[in-house]
Amino acid sequence: MNNGDAKILFRNELERSISIRLRSDVKVGACLSGGLDSSSIAAIASELYCATSAQPFTAITATSTDPANDESMFAKLVVDRYSLNWQTTTPSNTDFETVVEDVIRAQEEPFGSPSIIMQYFVMQKAKEIGAIVLLDGQGGDETMLGYERYFPAFLMTKPFFRRIKEFYYCVLNSRISAKTLLAYYYYFTRPNLRLKRQMLRAKFIKDEFQSQLDYKLIKESAESYKNISTLQLLEINRTQLPHLLKYEDKNSMRFSIETRLPFLDYRLVELTLSLNLDEKIRHGWTKFILRKANTDILPSEILWLKNKIGFEAPSKSWLSDSESLLKVIRKSKIINMYCNSNQI
């Protein structure tokens, strides 16, 4: 299959996937961070939606109070092009403090990123405006090799001199430096190094619980970098994607919102996984097929965006009162049961 055929086939399947997920008796909207995945979905969904409705399509964006990790300026480009009904939420420090316990209760377990709280605010806004069904871009990175940490597995598929050339492109057209890429290459492909690092990171956990950590899976993940198809299947089925979907499901159900994920339509997943590797990463551009398939509907600023931010929280601001947080942590019965809290 040549590049032109792959691009047309992919675009058709993506439109089909979005189209069937717009079927609803209630208001439908989309999460719009301003990144490539969510912008693609919002643009296509708007065109399909407005073909049968006089109302503008709804998009919801969580904006960060920290300009360094706010993508809302890119979201606005999509909003302006398609005249979307744009709903935004900008959580403050007070908002964070107000909802954090409810987010933990909804998630039912610890989670490692404040971005999950930003997602909570998106679902809250959807409930507030009555958008009971939301389209979201989960799965695009795992199916189309959207993370820079996939670069080592990609480079290992190339002959020596082509590998050097692609290494240069990966640095040129991504947000990581040559030094970081070399570190990725060395770290992600070496099971023993990854095991040692994870054991160091988990040293605050009491010895009697250390044995329950799944070090075997860490080793399996490192070994999978020798075959990029094996790596993708592992990340989709067992490591990366399942916990992201779990976080989203619990946040959405907290507000009785149904999220629908076009990139995880089984036919689109089968197509994407079957594509030639160079359709996913080309000259250092991740998710190359998505970029080329949507050149007619997205601004170039989004199509060729290198940074990946998403609904990232203003963590420095939210967690600025570290002393108060540490007091809460050290008084926690459950943390003291499993952890040496003085090592956190």
Side-chain angles (χ1 to χ4, degrees):
M1 186 189 304
N2 62 43
N3 179 252
D5 292 338
K7 181 177 72 172
I8 293 169
L9 185 56
F10 177 87
R11 174 66 176 271
N12 289 341
E13 281 298 316
L14 180 58
E15 288 187 359
R16 178 200 57 79
S17 177
I18 292 172
S19 177
I20 63 175
R21 284 165 178 79
L22 288 173
R23 298 172 183 169
S24 176
D25 294 326
V26 295
K27 186 175 181 178
V28 184
C31 301
L32 177 61
S33 69
L36 179 61
D37 296 346
S38 66
S39 297
S40 298
I41 290 173
I44 294 172
S46 178
E47 289 189 333
L48 295 171
Y49 183 83
C50 292
T52 58
S53 173
Q55 300 298 318
F57 188 65
T58 297
I60 303 174
T61 302
T63 66
S64 173
T65 55
D66 183 355
N69 61 9
D70 180 37
E71 280 188 324
S72 60
M73 73 290 293
F74 297 112
K76 191 175 187 304
L77 294 175
V78 180
V79 169
D80 290 344
R81 176 174 286 203
Y82 292 96
S83 301
L84 301 179
N85 171 25
W86 195 26
Q87 302 291 324
T88 63
T89 176
T90 309
S92 65
N93 288 26
T94 302
D95 293 328
F96 163 69
E97 293 168 3
T98 300
V99 306
V100 64
E101 288 195 19
D102 191 52
V103 181
I104 293 169
R105 189 176 297 109
Q107 291 297 325
E108 302 180 289
E109 63 183 344
F111 50 89
S113 171
S115 65
I116 293 163
I117 301 177
M118 291 291 274
Q119 186 187 63
Y120 172 99
F121 282 110
V122 171
M123 301 305 167
Q124 185 182 63
K125 173 61 75 171
K127 181 70 171 182
E128 178 186 314
I129 66 173
I132 306 304
V133 173
L134 276 186
L135 307 187
D136 195 16
Q138 293 280 19
D141 289 312
E142 291 77 15
T143 57
M144 291 178 284
L145 300 177
Y147 299 118
E148 285 99 345
R149 57 185 169 80
Y150 293 145
F151 283 157
F154 167 73
L155 293 171
M156 288 172 70
T157 67
K158 305 301 179 186
F160 179 75
F161 290 109
R162 175 78 186 277
R163 189 179 301 180
I164 295 173
K165 184 178 180 180
E166 291 296 338
F167 183 98
Y168 165 78
Y169 281 130
C170 287
V171 172
L172 179 67
N173 293 321
S174 76
R175 58 183 174 177
I176 63 174
S177 65
K179 182 179 178 181
T180 301
L181 182 50
L182 281 171
Y184 279 11
Y185 194 95
Y186 189 77
Y187 172 74
F188 283 111
T189 59
R190 284 164 173 76
N192 291 336
L193 180 60
R194 291 181 65 174
L195 284 170
K196 184 176 180 179
R197 179 171 181 265
Q198 292 303 321
M199 291 176 73
L200 285 172
R201 291 182 68 187
K203 66 180 181 180
F204 63 88
I205 298 175
K206 290 183 177 179
D207 291 342
E208 57 264 40
F209 302 109
Q210 285 273 356
S211 61
Q212 297 181 36
L213 298 175
D214 195 352
Y215 292 120
K216 183 179 178 182
L217 184 59
I218 296 170
K219 184 175 181 179
E220 187 177 346
S221 176
E223 293 287 352
S224 73
Y225 270 75
K226 296 175 183 177
N227 184 307
I228 202 162
S229 296
T230 302
L231 174 61
Q232 279 196 274
L233 290 174
L234 183 69
E235 295 239 320
I236 290 169
N237 292 318
R238 297 173 58 195
T239 55
Q240 177 72 7
L241 192 55
H243 72 262
L244 295 178
L245 297 181
K246 179 177 61 179
Y247 298 147
E248 175 159 325
D249 192 48
K250 290 185 175 183
N251 271 339
S252 62
M253 287 297 96
R254 166 63 181 83
F255 295 101
S256 301
I257 302 298
E258 178 189 345
T259 52
R260 299 176 179 178
L261 312 174
F263 287 119
L264 293 180
D265 177 278
Y266 81 94
R267 286 172 54 179
L268 186 58
V269 170
E270 288 175 352
L271 170 64
T272 308
L273 292 181
S274 70
L275 290 174
N276 186 288
L277 181 57
D278 289 332
E279 299 291 354
K280 300 171 192 176
I281 298 177
R282 184 177 298 188
H283 295 328
W285 291 108
T286 61
K287 295 184 286 195
F288 185 77
I289 187 69
L290 183 62
R291 298 176 195 268
K292 293 301 290 183
N294 291 332
T295 52
D296 61 325
I297 62 170
L298 290 180
S300 60
E301 296 95 326
I302 295 173
L303 278 171
W304 305 108
L305 188 64
K306 297 179 183 181
N307 287 342
K308 180 188 297 297
I309 297 176
F311 293 138
E312 192 169 323
S315 302
K316 289 182 180 179
S317 176
W318 283 4
L319 306 179
S320 58
D321 191 5
S322 57
E323 286 303 316
S324 296
L325 290 170
L326 283 171
K327 286 179 182 178
V328 174
I329 289 169
R330 286 172 179 152
K331 289 180 180 178
S332 168
K333 289 182 180 180
I334 192 168
I335 289 177
N336 281 291
M337 183 186 303
Y338 291 102
C339 306
N340 300 306
S341 60
N342 62 328
Q343 293 184 28
I344 296 176

